[in-house]
């Protein structure tokens, strides 16, 4: 798998985790378990995964994106 595909996979995974976290917190608030400790442990773990995959995806995206022509002209 090349780095462009890997960065997209990381970013989509991050997006999926953010959606999953939102859905889970909404569902917990509906059934009254929002303040339970297991809900917060689960939310913390999913949040860590979302942040990590988002950061790694952004880092790879910046590394693999083509350079802008304006930036190259301004360096002189």
């Amino acid at each position: 798998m090349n780095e462009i595909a890997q960065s997209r996979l990381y970013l989509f995974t991050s997006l999926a985790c953010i959606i999953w976290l939102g859905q889970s917190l909404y569902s917990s608030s509906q059934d009254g378990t929002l303040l339970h400790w297991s809900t917060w442990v689960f939310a913390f773990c999913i949040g860590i995964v979302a942040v990590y995959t988002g950061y790694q995806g952004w880092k790879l995206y910046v590394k693999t994106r083509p350079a802008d022509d304006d930036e190259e002209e301004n360096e002189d």
Side-chain angles (χ1 to χ4, degrees), residues 41-53:
V41 169
F42 177 73
F44 178 75
C45 292
I46 295 299
I48 293 294
V49 172
V51 169
Y52 175 78
T53 56

Side-chain angles (χ1 to χ4, degrees), residues 3-76:
E3 289 182 333
I4 294 172
Q6 190 174 6
S7 72
R8 288 179 184 163
L9 181 62
Y10 271 127
L11 291 171
F12 283 134
T13 302
S14 178
L15 179 64
C17 286
I18 290 168
I19 292 169
W20 186 15
L21 178 61
Q23 182 272 330
S24 175
L25 291 176
Y26 177 76
S27 176
S28 294
S29 71
Q30 295 297 314
D31 66 11
T33 60
L34 185 61
L35 299 178
H36 198 265
W37 68 271
S38 61
T39 301
W40 289 106
V41 169
F42 177 73
F44 178 75
C45 292
I46 295 299
I48 293 294
V49 172
V51 169
Y52 175 78
T53 56
Y55 174 73
Q56 291 298 324
W58 180 254
K59 194 168 73 169
L60 278 172
Y61 170 74
V62 168
K63 179 181 173 184
T64 58
R65 73 177 182 182
D68 294 332
D69 291 334
D70 296 336
E71 291 178 4
E72 293 174 2
E73 292 174 4
N74 292 337
E75 290 178 359
D76 292 334

